[in-house]
Amino acid sequence: MRTAMTVNFHFSERVLAFALSVLTAVPLCGQQSMVGAMPQQGEVVGNVSLGVGKALTLEEYLSPRPYSGFQYVVSNDRLSCHGTDRLFQYRRSHYSLQYSVMQDDNGSGSQMHAKLDAFYGWGHTIVSTQADDLMIGPAAMLSISGLYNRRNSNNPATADGYAALGFMADNTLRFRIAGYPMAFQATLYLPLAGIGYAPDYDQLYWIMYKNSQYGRTLHFVCPLNSPAFCQDLALSVPAGRNQVRVAFNVDYMSNRLGGKNTRLSHSSFMVGLTHRFERKYNGR
């Protein structure tokens, strides 16, 4: 008998295979020399991707058991140039929306999880060659997630997240295989200091709102008490006037804020199209 997880797995395989077949059906010609090239002033390199992966969560506010399952992801990444004469010549943005349906280790409970990320980084080039561009700089990050546990009737839902300032590193390596141009890109976002949202273990939401106890839900976060990161590894190949981008994304957050353990881990395989365009005269 096929389980729901088996059906979800096969459905995810078919969706991803269909997306990959559509994207790779574009003739491999055109602006091959632009693969992995940094944008010029006024240009934007944008990417939209769809993907599937795996989510692992432990939220003791809802349950002492860890949950795992498949996730579906849509993401948008952009890299723009604001002038080579500036300290931070480039700006990178990353938006992603993730949705997961999970079960505990013995299949007796189920949980749904939705997560929204919005990351911004400003890059200063420290290495720029014909084959490689490496930039580092500050970043601003916002991550919000909500969980709903179908087994917990007393506290069925909760939220976690943070808003922080941190560090971004981005490296683009251009190369050829049998004369075919490709580009490998690695991007890291690392929050260093900010505000995290996490209710106390014994704090019920209706009591919190009734008594206006919002201060107990906000905590100072840093890598010492709430380590987190987002890592993106991608390979780009030419596809007509655009590029096909195949990526592997990992993000992680762990803390004991509010006297409870919270761990959120996601890994996903992404396929998408990258397009280079110019800004309008009014900056749009």
Side-chain angles (χ1 to χ4, degrees):
M1 179 181 296
R2 294 195 304 173
T3 64
M5 183 168 292
T6 302
V7 173
N8 284 337
F9 177 76
H10 289 301
F11 176 75
S12 304
E13 276 189 327
R14 293 176 181 177
V15 170
L16 191 59
F18 174 75
L20 184 60
S21 64
V22 171
L23 295 176
T24 55
V26 183
L28 298 180
C29 59
Q31 302 176 350
Q32 294 188 359
S33 61
M34 302 299 290
V35 176
M38 302 296 286
Q40 302 300 312
Q41 184 170 354
E43 285 187 331
V44 178
V45 179
N47 171 268
V48 176
S49 296
L50 300 175
V52 295
K54 186 175 183 180
L56 300 171
T57 66
L58 172 64
E59 175 53 83
E60 289 187 340
Y61 187 88
L62 300 177
S63 171
R65 292 178 174 271
Y67 283 74
S68 64
F70 290 102
Q71 71 168 0
Y72 305 91
V73 189
V74 57
S75 70
N76 177 270
D77 292 88
R78 287 193 173 192
L79 177 63
S80 57
C81 177
H82 294 274
T84 56
D85 57 337
R86 299 188 179 186
L87 177 61
F88 300 108
Q89 303 97 331
Y90 300 97
R91 186 181 71 179
R92 178 172 288 285
S93 62
H94 169 79
Y95 306 92
S96 70
L97 178 62
Q98 307 172 12
Y99 175 74
S100 310
V101 178
M102 298 168 284
Q103 292 183 334
D104 60 10
D105 50 3
N106 59 11
S108 61
S110 62
Q111 185 169 270
M112 294 182 292
H113 179 214
K115 183 171 181 284
L116 174 66
D117 289 333
F119 299 158
Y120 302 89
W122 293 265
H124 172 72
T125 303
I126 59 176
V127 174
S128 182
T129 67
Q130 186 175 359
D132 187 26
D133 281 290
L134 173 62
M135 60 181 180
I136 61 175
M141 286 155 280
L142 175 67
S143 180
I144 304 172
S145 64
L147 297 98
Y148 179 79
N149 191 295
R150 295 181 177 179
R151 192 176 184 182
N152 189 335
S153 59
N154 188 29
N155 290 319
T158 189
D160 296 285
Y162 63 86
L165 299 177
F167 171 80
M168 181 203 71
D170 184 276
N171 189 31
T172 301
L173 179 65
R174 294 171 290 275
F175 58 95
R176 289 176 177 268
I177 296 180
Y180 193 73
M182 298 183 182
F184 177 78
Q185 181 185 357
T187 306
L188 173 68
Y189 293 95
L190 184 67
L192 298 178
I195 301 297
Y197 176 86
D200 288 351
Y201 182 77
D202 59 349
Q203 188 178 16
L204 301 179
Y205 272 87
W206 69 273
I207 295 180
M208 175 179 65
Y209 292 124
K210 179 180 179 180
N211 300 329
S212 299
Q213 298 173 338
Y214 307 114
R216 294 175 57 189
T217 65
L218 300 179
H219 310 265
F220 172 77
V221 295
C222 68
L224 297 178
N225 66 350
S226 183
F229 71 89
C230 178
Q231 173 77 64
D232 191 64
L233 305 174
L235 178 68
S236 296
V237 298
R241 295 181 177 272
N242 303 303
Q243 301 168 33
V244 171
R245 184 174 186 264
V246 180
F248 180 71
N249 180 272
V250 177
D251 66 78
Y252 175 83
M253 182 186 74
S254 175
N255 61 60
R256 285 188 54 84
L257 303 178
K260 56 183 178 58
N261 284 314
T262 299
R263 288 197 303 271
L264 305 177
S265 175
H266 307 84
S267 58
S268 55
F269 176 73
M270 313 283 295
V271 178
L273 274 179
T274 299
H275 179 64
R276 180 184 298 265
F277 58 94
E278 295 184 3
R279 293 173 179 269
K280 298 296 184 181
Y281 68 91
N282 59 1
R284 291 185 297 176

